[in-house]
Amino acid sequence: MTRIGLTLMLALMFLPLAAQGAGLRAGVASVDITPPPGLSMYGYFDRIKDERLSTGTLDPLYARVLVLQAGDARLALVTLDLGRCFGKASLDRLRSEVRLLAGISDLLVTASHTHAGPNVLDEYPNSRLPAWEAEALGKIARAVQEAARLAVDVRLGTGYGSAHVGYNRRVVGADGGVKMLWQNPTRIPTSPVDPTVSILRIDTSEGRPLAILVNYACHPVIFGSDNQKYSSDYVGVMRRTVEESFGGQLTCFFLQGADGDINPYYAATPLQDGAVKLRDWTGQELAQEVVHVAKAIHTENLSPSSISFAEDEMIFKVRWPAEQFRSGLLKEFGPRVFEDHADLLKDQPVPGTLTLKVATALIDKRIAIATVPGEPFVDFQMTWRNRCPVSDAFFLGYTNGYFDYLPTIQAASEGGYGAADSNTYLDVGTGERLVDHALMRVYEMMGRLVEMPEDLKKPE
């Protein structure tokens, strides 16, 4: 009887541990990465060309961290209140640090694309990072470590809504020509636009809200080139409003989608014309829908849980003849803007190639995430969601690298800003190939693509 009792006791002790290990765990952290004033700001060629520097801060810039763990897989998602993602050297440094500090096997670093942040370059003179960026990388690494340390058992749920705060800034006329509509305060209908607000809610196993992830496509450019103060634009307003609606219990994350051709209605509003008020309206309008949807989401724990992840390098040709493109940029914008294309504009053989990373994640075989390192046009987000083999499909731009605009083949043929200019230097069809690759990865992760057909397998 004693032996049987001991056996039962040990079994009961280990059953909860096994169940706990089979579930999903998550932790969150946040850190202020606002630089000091006096730096070049991101976006708006006239501001960069005229060397107008930052004079202060309207609202802080943050890096927010979510760590997900299932078994041996640890995925860290870092969202940045920056115009673009860090360059390759900084990302490599961050990968190494979080692997050492927190055992992170997979990393996604994505930017909101605010045009009220510091300028970020792929490469810096003498390969020396600016002090603010080096400090930010250290803070982010420690935040990842903290999020991993705080990880608890969680359950997930998804929901979808619709918010109308933006429009397509490319207007294609009857003759096929493109006119750029840089502002749209009267809210003239344009297309294509994706109003879908995709939400992932993460609760603790006891049901306490831990995090809300908001995937939406719209440029954070309420502030124009006259603004010289740091701000997360409407994104920060949305996050604060959502967090306050949940009593400050959770952390809200913004995942910028395929906003390459999508502007907010009140884009580039001068400060004297009420830009701050319009920023707040845009953020609150989006937040209202997020809160409405998020509060109705039912979360659940699927056990066993799993995280599949792949980050693949793909090589693409440069669209324009490299020598002419190089001299054209120098002539039009001068050396300061020229530096922002350092990776592309090195001495390289014509036509030149660039290596991009596309990352794909699949959580619990039901939530798919595809990321691209640039500014994809909105069609790609809708295509990904429509073609993905799972119903919950999130699409992120500005992730793990930055290579400017990714227009569709049709948009490239029509022309216009972001489709056929100096900011669109990747070969036509690059975006389509990236989306197709992510789709194949998801099918592979689900076990629905085989390495070898049955009729070619050798008999045992």
Side-chain angles (χ1 to χ4, degrees), residues 141-339:
R142 292 188 292 274
V144 172
Q145 182 183 27
E146 179 72 359
R149 184 184 69 81
L150 295 174
V152 296
D153 293 340
V154 296
R155 56 199 203 194
L156 306 180
T158 55
Y160 299 88
S162 182
H164 298 270
V165 298
Y167 68 98
N168 197 302
R169 63 194 190 185
R170 299 178 68 257
V171 180
V172 182
D175 60 352
V178 175
K179 177 183 177 181
M180 298 304 298
L181 184 63
W182 292 115
Q183 296 175 317
N184 190 7
T186 58
R187 307 185 197 179
I188 299 169
T190 61
S191 66
V193 173
D194 183 10
T196 305
V197 184
S198 302
I199 299 170
L200 172 62
R201 173 171 167 170
I202 304 175
D203 291 349
T204 67
S205 57
E206 295 82 17
R208 179 179 63 83
L210 181 68
I212 287 178
L213 279 64
V214 181
N215 188 199
Y216 188 72
C218 185
H219 265 70
V221 291
I222 303 294
F223 295 119
S225 61
D226 66 322
N227 172 54
Q228 292 176 248
K229 293 186 177 182
Y230 301 127
S231 172
S232 54
D233 210 275
Y234 75 81
V235 171
V237 176
M238 182 277 294
R239 288 189 315 228
R240 287 195 303 273
T241 306
V242 171
E243 291 171 351
E244 290 169 0
S245 297
F246 281 83
Q249 298 182 75
L250 56 75
T251 301
C252 182
F253 294 78
F254 179 75
L255 309 177
Q256 184 62 266
D259 71 335
D261 48 349
I262 306 298
N263 263 12
Y265 288 128
Y266 304 105
T269 299
L271 292 170
Q272 64 182 18
D273 292 342
V276 173
K277 183 178 179 180
L278 294 173
R279 173 202 65 176
D280 293 349
W281 177 88
T282 304
Q284 290 163 1
E285 192 76 5
L286 178 57
Q288 182 178 345
E289 182 67 358
V290 172
V291 171
H292 172 73
V293 173
K295 287 192 172 182
I297 291 175
H298 170 72
T299 58
E300 59 182 341
N301 178 22
L302 294 185
S303 185
S305 192
S306 63
I307 299 175
S308 301
F309 183 88
E311 186 174 40
D312 303 304
E313 292 187 343
M314 300 179 68
I315 298 175
F316 297 92
K317 290 182 179 179
V318 174
R319 182 176 177 182
W320 314 116
E323 291 301 329
Q324 289 90 327
F325 184 56
R326 185 181 294 116
S327 61
L329 273 183
L330 273 171
K331 180 179 179 181
E332 184 172 1
F333 300 117
R336 287 182 58 80
V337 176
F338 178 81
E339 287 174 359

Side-chain angles (χ1 to χ4, degrees), residues 34-35 50 101 125 129 139 152 190 218 297 305 358 388 431 457:
T34 311
D50 296 340
L101 291 173
L129 293 179
K139 288 181 177 180
V152 296
T190 61
C218 185
I297 291 175
S305 192
V358 54
C388 193
K457 291 183 179 178

Side-chain angles (χ1 to χ4, degrees), residues 57 99 177 208 214 241 314-315 377 386 405 419 455:
T57 300
R99 187 180 299 116
R208 179 179 63 83
V214 181
T241 306
M314 300 179 68
I315 298 175
F377 276 28
N386 292 335
Y405 286 97
D455 57 340

Side-chain angles (χ1 to χ4, degrees), residues 25-29 65-69 146-148 150-152 154 210 253:
R25 294 174 64 80
V28 299
V65 175
L66 170 69
V67 171
L68 294 175
Q69 180 177 359
E146 179 72 359
L150 295 174
V152 296
V154 296
L210 181 68
F253 294 78

